[in-house]
Amino acid sequence: MKVLVTGFEPFGGATINPALEAVQRLPRQIAGAEVVTVQIPVVFGKDSAAVEAAIDEHAPDVVVCVGQAGGRSHITPEFVGINYANARIPDNEGNQPVGRLEADGPDAYFATLPVFAMVDACRAAGVPAAVSYTAGTFCCNEVLYELMHCLATRHPGVRGGFVHVPYAAEQALSMGEGTASMSVDMMVAGLTAMIGAAVSGSDDEVRAGEGTEQ
């Protein structure tokens, strides 16, 4: 089995992106599956195109895209991606789109990863985690939606989804008191546990009231 894991480049004036830092430190094998990592741009259209190109090149069984969600204190696998963009800031090429991502696409796609089992595995590894029901309306949501659209229309046997990580601890040094953050080492441990659950095909037991910590 092969797992493709993508991480975004830095954006918004930051010098690092903890998603990319954590992805690049992942082990090359998790739960018996080969792990392939790819950096993708924070540019509408080009980010999802890079993911699709990596799928075509590596033919993975599972795809996990990872991004930063500043303000969250937990690692949060996303439940759903929506067919809409409303960029609060310009991307890395100055684009700031508003509107549907796919004119003829469905309004939303649910991730096909076992997000609840992934949270359980992450917590069992000692890392805070919770399911998220919104991936926002910036590039992270676009990548999740376009990934699922690609898998549904071109690679129906491949499972995929998106995971958000908090700010890295070193980023929080220059931010306001109380800014949520996590060490990159802890992110690596959490993502490794989550990928292991996704690879193993863990049963996804849905529990009432499960959501993000926010």
Side-chain angles (χ1 to χ4, degrees):
M1 182 174 285
K2 184 182 293 185
V3 183
L4 171 66
V5 188
T6 72
F8 280 106
E9 67 185 359
F11 70 101
T15 58
I16 69 167
N17 188 322
L20 181 61
E21 297 293 318
V23 165
Q24 290 179 334
R25 298 186 200 180
L26 288 171
R28 297 301 91 183
Q29 190 175 84
I30 297 175
E34 177 187 356
V35 176
V36 177
T37 61
V38 174
Q39 177 177 328
I40 63 173
V42 181
V43 180
F44 280 93
K46 291 184 178 180
D47 48 10
S48 55
V51 175
E52 291 189 29
I55 293 171
D56 290 339
E57 178 181 355
H58 298 289
D61 302 283
V62 175
V63 183
V64 181
C65 299
V66 184
Q68 170 192 290
R72 296 186 188 181
S73 61
H74 290 38
I75 298 180
T76 50
E78 297 295 339
F79 192 82
V80 61
I82 61 172
N83 189 5
Y84 193 73
N86 190 342
R88 62 179 180 81
I89 60 172
D91 67 16
N92 282 354
E93 290 188 357
N95 306 300
Q96 201 167 1
V98 175
R100 292 179 70 87
L101 299 170
E102 293 285 344
D104 299 321
D107 290 337
Y109 281 108
F110 294 121
T112 50
L113 300 181
V115 292
F116 295 94
M118 290 165 66
V119 164
D120 288 343
C122 192
R123 290 174 175 172
V127 181
V131 175
S132 168
Y133 295 96
T134 174
T137 53
F138 194 54
C139 288
C140 291
N141 173 74
E142 183 217 10
V143 161
L144 172 56
Y145 181 87
E146 295 290 8
L147 165 65
M148 301 316 300
H149 186 66
C150 171
L151 298 186
T153 57
R154 296 181 54 222
H155 305 279
V158 180
R159 292 175 292 135
F162 195 100
V163 178
H164 269 119
V165 296
Y167 284 131
E170 52 265 47
Q171 288 177 289
L173 291 172
S174 61
M175 298 178 179
E177 182 179 355
T179 299
S181 67
M182 181 181 289
S183 72
V184 174
D185 286 345
M186 183 171 279
M187 294 179 198
V188 172
L191 289 173
T192 299
M194 287 189 172
I195 292 168
V199 167
S200 67
S202 302
D203 291 335
D204 208 23
E205 180 184 352
V206 182
R207 295 175 298 278
E210 185 67 56
T212 63
E213 79 284 1
Q214 296 178 318

